[in-house]
Amino acid sequence: QVQLVESGGGLVQAGGSLRLSCAASGRSFSIYDMAWFRQAPGKERESVASISWIGGSTTYADSVKGRFTISRDNAKITVFLQMNDLRPEDTAVYSCKMRTGGFASRVSYWGQGTQVTVSS
């Protein structure tokens, strides 16, 4: 059983910073990539950032470029999201997603989410 556990969420004032972590555990797996998503109340879930596990290439939503940085620790099977210059519109439940397997047999796993609240 694969488990993803997020941590690091909380309440912060606008302009502040938070660092989210997502640690994977369970049976051995071949990771394709890991990503952070967020969902604000009344809105659809959106992709925030992703990172490939082998090469480390990253992608970001336009709304967080230059403020958020995704990184990974391969040995600890952990992905991080450093969030700087936070804005009230960043308030959401942040979840991490891991994709494993090859192109024809890809499986996705999700964490339970962590709340990030940015006050103005």
Side-chain angles (χ1 to χ4, degrees):
Q1 184 75 11
V2 174
Q3 188 175 21
L4 300 178
V5 179
E6 298 107 332
S7 61
L11 173 64
V12 64
Q13 288 188 331
S17 298
L18 285 173
R19 187 185 192 221
L20 306 183
S21 300
C22 174
S25 62
R27 61 175 178 81
S28 61
F29 31 70
S30 175
I31 302 173
Y32 175 70
D33 65 7
M34 294 187 75
W36 287 97
F37 286 73
R38 67 185 181 185
Q39 187 167 23
K43 295 187 177 181
E44 293 188 355
R45 184 168 59 192
E46 63 174 346
S47 174
V48 175
S50 68
I51 185 166
S52 66
W53 207 247
I54 301 301
S57 59
T58 59
T59 64
Y60 294 94
D62 287 342
S63 59
V64 306
K65 281 180 181 177
R67 301 187 297 123
F68 291 10
T69 302
I70 189 170
S71 61
R72 75 200 192 291
D73 183 328
N74 291 47
K76 296 182 178 180
I77 316 179
T78 300
V79 66
F80 305 96
L81 186 68
Q82 178 65 44
M83 305 185 294
N84 298 328
D85 189 25
L86 283 161
R87 305 166 181 172
E89 55 264 38
D90 294 318
T91 296
V93 174
Y94 285 70
S95 302
C96 70
K97 174 184 176 182
M98 179 176 73
R99 293 195 292 176
T100 66
F103 179 79
S105 59
R106 199 143 290 153
V107 179
S108 295
Y109 300 91
W110 290 88
Q112 82 287 352
T114 185
Q115 177 70 46
V116 171
T117 303
V118 185
S119 63
S120 57

